[in-house]
Amino acid sequence: MGSAALQFELLREIFDLARAQRAGLESDDLDRVMDLMTEREVLLGRLQRLTEEQTEVPPNVVPLPRVVSSMQEDALALDTVIRSILEHDRANEALLREKLAQVRDELPRLRRAFRAANAYRPSEVVPAYLNRRS
């Protein structure tokens, strides 16, 4: 499998993870989103190592026109996948910001509810005697 094909495959997996992250965000499954982020970091590391291992065409080699055309097509395909990933990432970021804003807005109400619930909680001090006169 060629370098471009491996890059494309890794980018495709990253794209699939971005879509799965969106589904996790929409269903409020933040644990799943975090797990997917970890998987994504692994794939990004592999992609970076693959990119670093790529060798350019030496200056004393002239690629054939068909090879140049193939390289351009590969670059276009990779660019398309990268743009799709970025688009999903932007949408995921917007959705995550929206959810964080909802949580931030909800915190004061939860604090008030917690204080109110504590006011009704019985004291934990148990009397050591019984009042038989009452």
Side-chain angles (χ1 to χ4, degrees):
M1 187 179 277
S3 176
L6 286 173
Q7 284 180 324
F8 183 78
E9 185 60 35
L10 287 171
L11 287 170
R12 183 68 187 166
E13 289 179 42
I14 292 169
F15 176 76
D16 290 342
L17 288 176
R19 287 176 41 198
Q21 284 176 316
R22 166 54 79 82
L25 286 169
E26 288 174 348
S27 66
D28 294 329
D29 188 355
L30 296 182
D31 290 331
R32 177 75 177 136
V33 172
M34 296 305 292
D35 291 342
L36 292 170
M37 289 177 97
T38 302
E39 287 181 46
R40 185 176 169 148
E41 287 298 319
V42 170
L43 291 176
L44 287 171
R46 287 177 53 197
L47 183 63
Q48 176 142 5
R49 285 190 301 279
L50 180 64
T51 303
E52 291 169 356
E53 293 170 359
Q54 277 186 342
T55 57
E56 301 245 346
V57 177
N60 63 340
V61 174
V62 177
L64 299 171
R66 194 173 119 221
V67 172
V68 171
S69 174
S70 174
M71 290 169 50
Q72 290 171 341
E73 289 173 7
D74 289 347
L76 181 62
L78 291 172
D79 185 58
T80 302
V81 175
I82 291 169
R83 287 179 190 277
S84 296
I85 291 169
L86 290 173
E87 185 178 309
H88 270 78
D89 283 350
R90 278 190 217 95
N92 288 349
E93 182 181 1
L95 185 57
L96 186 57
R97 284 181 193 272
E98 181 182 309
K99 297 224 178 258
L100 287 173
Q102 290 172 354
V103 168
R104 193 173 31 252
D105 292 344
E106 192 67 18
L107 280 176
R109 189 187 71 74
L110 289 173
R111 284 188 190 117
R112 283 191 306 274
F114 182 74
R115 283 193 302 267
N118 278 337
Y120 287 102
R121 182 176 292 162
S123 66
E124 295 183 23
V125 178
V126 177
Y129 62 90
L130 284 174
N131 183 357
R132 292 191 179 256
R133 285 189 225 179
S134 47

